[in-house]
Amino acid sequence: MMRTAWNSLDLFAWFALVSASTLPVQALPRTRSLTLPLAKSSYKISARDGSDVVGGTVGLGDQQDFFYTVALTIGNTTTTANLDTGSADLWVIDSACLTPVCENSTATRYDTATFRESGGTVQLKYGDSTTGTHANGVVGRDDVTIAGLVMKNQTLAAVSDTDNSAVVNNAAGIVGLGFFSQSFVQASVISAEIQNIGSGTDTFVEQTANSGPVVTRLALSGAIAEPMFSIMLQRDTIDVSGEGVITIGELPKGIDNSSLTWVPVRLYDSSVGGLDPPSFAPQEVYPLRWEVELDGVFLDGQELPLSTQTATGIPNPSLSALIDTGNSLLRGPTDVVNNILSKVSPAFAADSSARPLLPCTDGHELAFGIGGKRFPVDPRDFVAQGPVDNTGTPQCSADNIVGTDAPQSGALFSWNIGDPLMKSTLVVFYYGNMTHPSVDPPRMGFLSLVPANADDLLDDAVTAAQKDGGRFESTTDAAPTASSLIRQSDVLTTATTTAGSGTASASGSATGNKANGQATGSATSSNGAPTSTQPNAASSLYPQRAQNGIRTMVLPLALSLLLSLSML
């Protein structure tokens, strides 16, 4: 794949559902300063030695910085999936997939012998307004292990038709880590399994702890100490270095809360494609995705002018960015991107259709202002391998930054910040109180890990490339299967991702009557431009209510109590 191609795996639900938690009534003491004001279920998970488990951590695979993968065990199958904070659904290919990408895939396919079909189907679409892929299949349940944590009866899709390039890059599918409002698998499963859903969204909210995305369910079950995860990516091109890891339920070992710059996740009201507030919380405004406000964008210390690009169908929103591991690039407003490329590349400045070549040793710094601090992209990640001249000297290209669509209703962000920033920035994703975000708002924490001598390290990489015919080093890391459980004592004990072998498990009951095959539960999602006919997770269940925003009702206390009891 060309380096200029956007490997985006975001899957946007333009109109989203509010996420549900169990009992939003009181705060529990925590081992860290972050607190979750929910009275969780008394259900806990324990390791084989009886010690309480509060989270898990596992390393990441890396396909030359194009795709980052994590090991999963689904039923009896241990395989890998692309790690994606821009979507919420888990899907993997099975033996029935005969498309070209499936035929060329080297990933271990899902053995559906343990798969319990729900009777529904899903059609997932990925890409932006100019690109797009799909993943179609049946939905159902199986036990899923991630980072040593087992979620029983987890919802997923067994995909038999896809053209998504993740499948040919050491992954059998995608594991989405977004808000459950984006989960079309959840919507399809509920539609297929439960009769008499009714005209509201109560059932969707009620069933989130039973049918939602895997990390959401781990949080709602009380299986992890905090409703959060963190990600750090390794570097497998230009200057191979770093260690990729995802930590679920706790901050990574050695990272203190006070070292992070915390900022709120952007909230959407109904006028810009967000939720109409539920009757049980009429003043609440909810998040749609992992999106944060930006103070500004800076190149070599100078703040760049704001884009003159006009938002589509809405007033111009404030500057914000989606933080997206499923995007291998940095995508911004076309005019701002062209300005950047013209400043760093003489070739692009002379001809905007030319590849943005630049001297590798220039060491430009692109930085994003977040929470009053600047978070730079490491100069080693700003550039990509360019052509080699006749002296064996490598050239570089600013291929890692490209233009994107203008903000629009349901997608207010101007920037989609992908993997280049996260190779030198630890990012923490905190869900907060999923029912009443004003009580404990969702937020994100950032910690820059760019070394002070990053420019020198780039120079060293150029020198090494010259000795190797002008080619920078690159490699591929397989996703490790060894994981570690995080215990209450903060002592890490090595485990494996294979269910039943040094893992900790949680379970949530999958209640509800079967629909006897009457409802297919078909759900389609897209991160392209929203249209009046574009379905979303809620409209697949409640089409009569999903018109200009979803009218959502928060789960009453009595239903929350029943749901908590069902997980004991």
Side-chain angles (χ1 to χ4, degrees):
M1 177 178 292
M2 293 293 294
R3 188 64 176 171
T4 52
W6 179 32
N7 296 325
S8 175
L9 298 174
D10 338 336
L11 182 147
F12 298 153
W14 301 108
F15 305 108
L17 288 171
V18 57
S19 106
S21 55
T22 341
L23 295 174
V25 291
Q26 72 178 66
L28 293 179
R30 298 293 176 198
T31 57
R32 302 192 187 277
S33 59
L34 289 176
T35 58
L36 177 67
L38 301 176
K40 293 184 179 179
S41 164
S42 60
Y43 182 86
K44 291 183 178 294
I45 61 176
S46 297
R48 285 175 173 263
D49 63 3
S51 59
D52 286 339
V53 172
V54 296
T57 184
V58 66
L60 302 178
D62 180 4
Q63 181 70 20
Q64 296 183 327
D65 295 349
F66 283 110
F67 291 91
Y68 289 85
T69 57
V70 63
L72 302 169
T73 296
I74 307 175
N76 295 325
T77 305
T78 296
T79 187
T80 57
N82 181 263
L83 197 69
D84 186 20
T85 58
S87 68
D89 287 316
L90 169 61
W91 63 264
V92 285
I93 58 172
D94 60 20
S95 60
C97 189
L98 302 177
T99 62
V101 294
C102 287
E103 291 290 284
N104 291 318
S105 177
T106 59
T108 301
R109 299 193 185 206
Y110 173 42
D111 181 355
T112 56
T114 55
F115 185 57
R116 298 177 292 280
E117 290 191 30
S118 294
T121 61
V122 71
Q123 297 175 328
L124 306 175
K125 293 183 180 180
Y126 296 81
D128 63 5
S129 61
T130 59
T131 65
T133 64
H134 67 272
N136 305 332
V138 296
V139 297
R141 298 177 182 271
D142 208 335
D143 298 345
V144 173
T145 307
I146 181 171
L149 303 167
V150 183
M151 197 69 240
K152 301 287 187 181
N153 298 315
Q154 177 58 42
T155 53
L156 71 149
V159 165
S160 57
D161 173 21
T162 185
D163 59 356
N164 194 287
S165 54
V167 173
V168 290
N169 283 276
N170 289 344
I174 293 173
V175 54
L177 301 174
F179 293 98
F180 83 85
S181 56
Q182 296 175 291
S183 178
F184 293 85
V185 168
Q186 175 178 342
S188 180
V189 166
I190 293 173
S191 178
E193 290 184 348
I194 299 178
Q195 296 177 343
N196 302 319
I197 292 175
S199 60
T201 57
D202 295 38
T203 303
F204 187 98
V205 176
E206 177 185 357
Q207 291 296 314
T208 299
N210 289 336
S211 304
V214 60
V215 176
T216 296
R217 291 188 65 210
L218 286 169
L220 293 179
S221 71
I224 54 180
E226 299 285 355
M228 69 181 183
F229 62 93
S230 66
I231 294 175
M232 176 67 190
L233 303 179
Q234 67 265 52
R235 179 180 300 105
D236 271 5
T237 59
I238 305 296
D239 181 25
V240 176
S241 54
E243 180 180 357
V245 64
I246 179 173
T247 303
I248 300 174
E250 271 285 344
L251 292 176
K253 189 175 182 179
I255 300 297
D256 185 78
N257 178 30
S258 62
S259 66
L260 297 163
T261 297
W262 288 99
V263 292
V265 171
R266 183 168 205 160
L267 304 178
Y268 281 60
D269 64 35
S270 58
S271 69
V272 289
L275 298 171
D276 289 334
S279 60
F280 285 96
Q283 302 303 315
E284 294 286 356
V285 183
Y286 297 91
L288 294 185
R289 56 186 60 82
W290 296 114
E291 180 182 343
V292 297
E293 299 275 353
L294 295 180
D295 304 328
V297 181
F298 304 83
L299 180 66
D300 297 331
Q302 299 298 312
E303 184 171 5
L304 296 169
L306 292 174
S307 174
T308 59
Q309 199 168 322
T310 303
T312 304
I314 57 171
N316 284 333
S318 58
L319 187 65
S320 66
L322 174 69
I323 309 300
D324 181 11
T325 60
N327 172 19
S328 66
L329 304 175
L330 302 167
R331 291 179 62 88
T334 300
D335 55 346
V336 178
V337 168
N338 288 343
N339 184 17
I340 293 171
L341 296 179
S342 295
K343 290 179 180 296
V344 303
S345 170
F348 188 90
D351 179 2
S352 61
S353 65
R355 188 176 182 185
L357 299 176
L358 69 158
C360 291
T361 55
D362 276 7
H364 293 285
E365 180 187 272
L366 179 68
F368 297 93
I370 301 174
K373 293 185 179 180
R374 295 184 190 179
F375 290 85
V377 176
D378 191 295
R380 293 169 291 175
D381 303 316
F382 181 77
V383 296
Q385 174 79 59
V388 180
D389 66 20
N390 55 13
T391 67
T393 300
Q395 296 183 68
C396 284
S397 183
D399 294 339
N400 286 339
I401 179 168
V402 298
T404 193
D405 299 330
Q408 51 201 294
S409 181
L412 302 182
F413 53 89
S414 299
W415 285 85
N416 183 318
I417 300 178
D419 302 335
L421 180 71
M422 299 181 69
K423 283 183 275 185
S424 54
T425 305
L426 171 71
V427 183
V428 181
F429 302 77
Y430 181 78
Y431 292 99
N433 187 319
M434 299 184 210
T435 303
H436 291 75
S438 65
V439 175
D440 184 20
R443 49 199 184 270
M444 299 181 68
F446 296 82
L447 176 62
S448 177
L449 302 175
V450 176
N453 64 337
D455 285 337
D456 294 335
L457 294 175
L458 176 59
D459 291 342
D460 292 343
V462 173
T463 299
Q466 288 176 321
K467 296 177 181 179
D468 192 28
R471 308 302 300 179
F472 286 102
E473 65 175 335
S474 65
T475 189
T476 295
D477 299 326
T481 57
S483 62
S484 296
L485 296 177
I486 306 174
R487 307 175 192 281
Q488 189 66 45
S489 61
D490 288 331
V491 176
L492 302 182
T493 300
T494 301
T496 67
T497 59
T498 304
S501 176
T503 59
S505 64
S507 63
S509 62
T511 59
N513 298 321
K514 290 287 184 178
N516 298 321
Q518 296 177 0
T520 66
S522 180
T524 302
S525 61
S526 172
N527 68 341
T531 67
S532 59
T533 59
Q534 183 176 18
N536 54 72
S539 66
S540 66
L541 281 174
Y542 318 106
Q544 66 271 45
R545 297 290 298 277
Q547 296 172 4
N548 295 321
I550 308 300
R551 292 171 175 80
T552 307
M553 183 173 291
V554 172
L555 191 61
L557 183 62
L559 289 177
S560 293
L561 284 166
L562 291 174
L563 187 56
S564 296
L565 292 172
S566 74
M567 293 186 293
L568 294 176

